[in-house]
Amino acid sequence: MTAPQAADVVVVGGGLIGTAIAWQLRLTGRSVVVVTGERSAAASGVAAGMLAPVTETTFTEGALLALNQASISQYAGFVAQLEEASGLPAGLRRTPTLSVAGNSDDAAQLAALAAYLDRLGLDCERLTSRECRSYEPLLSPTIRSGLLVAGDWSCDNRLLWAALVEASRRAGVLEVPGFVHQVESEHGRVSGVVLADGTRWMTAAVVLANGAWAAQVGGTPPIPVRPVKGQILRLDPVRMPPPSLTIRAFTAGQEVYLVPRDSGREVVVGATVEQLGFDRRVTAGGVYELLRDARQVLPVTAEYVLSETSVGYRPGTPDNAPILGPCELDGLLLATGHYRNGVLLTPVTATAITHLVERGTLPEVASGFTLDRFASDRLAPDGSAQDGSAQDRLAPEQLAPSGSPDPPPAQASATRGTT
Ligand SMILES: Cc1cc2nc3c(=O)[nH]c(=O)nc-3n(C[C@H](O)[C@H](O)[C@H](O)COP(=O)(O)OP(=O)(O)OC[C@H]3O[C@@H](n4cnc5c(N)ncnc54)[C@H](O)[C@@H]3O)c2cc1C
């Protein structure tokens, strides 16, 4: 058996969240190891890359909105620093998002969202059908109305991730392939990690950033994270014109989005939302419905080439918000549960965890997202949090203990549309 090695910090998981944290922590002068897991399984390489605090907001997620807004306000600076450090483009695209409605029911839903955004004082511009088509001439003439949100951008998450990996390598982060099997502790304090191959790293600080797999590492308190499957497509316009804006649509009661990249060679179409555990299957129904709805909104997509189908696992939590910061095990720091906003939340998560390691506290904006909000004495009888941090109602399947078996197919549900 080889002797254990040591690092100031061990980060578990090399997706966007783990890599960004490792890079930022390394810049503070600490020695940092990232145990990468399986990169091809990461949601970070599958996501659409919308940075959409406004169009993504729902009536029940006020605390999350503030965190999402904090992150987008950091984005341009974060990307500038990253591009300089890595020498690579990080894929930020500062074009607006256009939400559109297909029929009169969809228009009513969009109007309700617009009224809610008004009440929150968030910037959005209501558009007629004609105005929508002046912004995006490829839209179907059947589109009824729209909402333009200038501050909702996108980022090519694959470019962002590649730049983060390069920047962290250049900064001196050590990448270790493999899986952390167990967090070790002595007297209530983290003392190291053991990998699945038996390798041991000694450390006083472990950052758990392994996304949808967060509940699977031994030696940690129970972490209420579950995988939420998403099927997503990539289309290549080839010689046809791509849309210029990110388009989100309500169409016949379904939601679909189309996210173009700067290259003009990729439009991401998503996504299903399925409670099926770690199910890897791309289904005919999933692909069919996404293509059908995309064509309904943007008829030209029927001429595009279907270049990729993929599946990813959003790290879901009972209130759809991430779990950030310390927990009852001293030295174990959590950075997981980013659900449908992990690309958006990458900068604020990296800065919050770095702040925590440097100064011992989370910044104010992240302080409501610690694991203890799920403690049973802080939940109201209906399962919602009493302090406002966890604002969604818990569905019965969300109350199942983390790491519990996947629901049987008869209970598994598939809905559509959010990231
Ligand atoms: C279809 C889809 C569309 C999405 N669209 C958007 C979007 O438009 N905008 C947005 O902001 N977000 C979006 N998301 C959400 C976003 O992708 C995730 O929130 C984010 O990628 C989570 O990043 P992560 O680094 O925490 O996890 P991941 O990217 O999943 O990475 C976790 C890594 O940890 C590794 N790992 C697992 N167990 C271990 C272990 N024991 N030891 C070491 N490593 C381990 C895994 O192999 C994996 O590589 C989308 C997600 C999906 C699925």
Side-chain angles (χ1 to χ4, degrees), residues 12-18 35-51 161 178-181 209-213 216-217 228-232 257 271-272 311-315 335-336 338-345 419:
V12 184
L16 278 171
I17 299 294
V35 183
T36 55
E38 186 188 345
R39 285 215 156 103
S40 63
S44 297
V46 171
M50 289 181 288
L51 309 178
W161 195 17
F179 290 84
V180 169
H181 173 65
N210 58 339
W213 296 266
Q216 295 185 354
V217 176
V228 181
K229 175 184 173 184
Q231 300 186 51
I232 192 165
Y257 56 74
T272 66
V311 167
Y313 309 106
R314 305 170 186 86
T336 180
H338 292 78
Y339 190 39
R340 57 182 200 266
N341 287 306
V343 184
L344 169 60
L345 289 171
T419 50

Side-chain angles (χ1 to χ4, degrees), residues 248-337:
R248 304 180 66 130
F250 297 106
T251 171
Q254 298 287 341
E255 290 181 56
V256 69
Y257 56 74
L258 299 100
V259 186
R261 303 293 190 217
D262 269 343
S263 66
R265 296 303 303 268
E266 185 173 289
V267 178
V268 187
V269 177
T272 66
V273 181
E274 302 172 65
Q275 307 289 348
L276 283 170
F278 290 106
D279 172 25
R280 285 177 182 258
R281 290 170 305 160
V282 174
T283 63
V287 174
Y288 162 72
E289 288 177 16
L290 289 170
L291 291 176
R292 178 197 63 196
D293 294 343
R295 189 177 70 166
Q296 199 68 34
V297 178
L298 220 72
V300 70
T301 53
E303 309 297 326
Y304 295 175
V305 169
L306 174 58
S307 50
E308 187 184 312
T309 60
S310 44
V311 167
Y313 309 106
R314 305 170 186 86
T317 64
D319 62 1
N320 300 336
I323 302 173
L324 304 175
C327 63
E328 67 200 50
L329 178 59
D330 217 0
L332 180 64
L333 313 178
L334 307 176
T336 180

